[in-house]
Amino acid sequence: MTVEIKQPFFVFNPKSYLYGEELLRLAQRADELAAKYPECTVLVTVPFADISAVKQATEKIVVTAQHIDGIRPGRGIGHVLPESVYHAGARAVFLNHAERPLTLAGLAQAMKRAKELGMKTIVCADSIDEARAVAILGADIILCEPTELIGTGQTSGSDYIEETNQAIKEINPDILVMQAAGISSGEDVYRTIKLGADGTGCTSGITNAASPADMLTEMVEAVVQAYKERGK
């Protein structure tokens, strides 16, 4: 079954900070927020070993794999088989993150396999030129995130956000644009959505917060509020 990702959306990407019961509790909180605010799609990226448990414990979030390899069932020990994460419950996948980069050929093949299974693709791009290339490849969501800003608490400038949004929409207006560099507070989320992003997301701003559940809540509510105000 193919999921729908609508704007606005929020991605909680715990990377390898969380696993097991702690991850499950936050995923369930994200699920509660997705139910409370159905106008906002909430995605949670999940380490491979936890995908099945998170899927079984939630109903409203889009469970998202952190990577897949562009392989088919057969040989390939140690690789991430798309069918495997799909079977476990993932319906979207991150690709080409700065911490798991792909060659252009590898990215194209992984995107092809995801599309064959009906999985949504969230593809990372470091620059405006890279964003254009990923748009031509046909990503569902493009995460525009300068590598040097990841985890710094420094967000992308308004010029970068507006230029990447425009460059992508000129190629394909149906592609959703995610801006998430340096997001660390509800204020950052609000500003990013108001500047025109379709969605945003966060990792360490949530996992390192005094109360990750409260910060997750604050950020999702900021997405909803900013998008509502933007539409007026």
Side-chain angles (χ1 to χ4, degrees):
M1 181 184 69
T2 301
V3 299
E4 178 187 3
I5 299 175
K6 56 184 179 292
Q7 54 177 301
F9 63 88
F10 183 81
V11 181
F12 173 37
N13 180 20
K15 298 182 180 176
S16 295
Y17 286 95
L18 301 177
Y19 58 91
E21 289 301 318
E22 190 175 6
L23 171 63
L24 203 58
R25 285 193 295 272
L26 273 180
Q28 289 171 323
R29 180 59 183 145
D31 204 54
E32 293 169 1
L33 291 166
K36 184 177 181 180
Y37 301 106
E39 66 271 35
C40 178
T41 303
V42 180
L43 303 92
V44 179
T45 71
V46 181
F48 306 124
D50 292 293
I51 289 175
S52 181
V54 169
K55 178 63 176 178
Q56 291 175 26
T58 58
E59 295 180 359
K60 301 296 185 181
I61 62 171
V62 179
V63 178
T64 304
Q66 296 183 349
H67 171 77
I68 58 171
D69 292 305
I71 61 172
R72 297 183 181 278
R75 297 183 60 178
I77 189 169
H79 294 282
V80 183
L81 177 67
E83 279 83 355
S84 179
V85 297
Y86 184 89
H87 176 74
R91 293 297 179 266
V93 59
F94 252 77
L95 293 170
N96 199 44
H97 192 278
E99 297 172 15
R100 192 66 170 83
L102 290 165
T103 63
L104 182 60
L107 174 60
Q109 186 61 26
M111 289 175 67
K112 178 182 178 182
R113 295 287 4 264
K115 289 178 184 297
E116 287 173 355
L117 292 170
M119 296 175 69
K120 298 296 186 182
T121 53
I122 306 166
V123 184
C124 302
D126 178 47
S127 65
I128 294 175
D129 286 342
E130 194 170 25
R132 288 193 181 99
V134 172
I136 291 170
L137 286 175
D140 295 299
I141 297 173
I142 298 179
L143 168 51
C144 302
E145 190 171 54
T147 301
E148 66 270 15
L149 297 183
I150 295 174
T152 65
Q154 179 183 347
T155 58
S156 297
S158 58
D159 288 348
Y160 176 88
I161 291 175
E162 290 165 2
E163 287 174 20
T164 49
N165 286 355
Q166 181 179 351
I168 291 166
K169 299 293 186 179
E170 284 177 352
I171 293 170
N172 185 343
D174 293 330
I175 293 175
L176 298 179
V177 181
M178 178 179 174
Q179 303 276 0
I183 296 293
S184 58
S185 67
E187 289 83 358
D188 291 337
V189 168
Y190 180 87
R191 168 183 171 273
T192 299
I193 298 299
K194 288 283 278 187
L195 282 171
D198 297 312
T200 188
C202 185
T203 297
S204 57
I206 294 172
T207 61
N208 294 342
S211 171
D214 287 347
M215 182 58 75
L216 175 62
T217 301
E218 178 183 321
M219 289 186 175
V220 171
E221 291 179 344
V223 168
V224 173
Q225 183 64 30
Y227 192 76
K228 185 184 299 182
E229 292 179 9
R230 201 175 85 189
K232 290 180 180 178

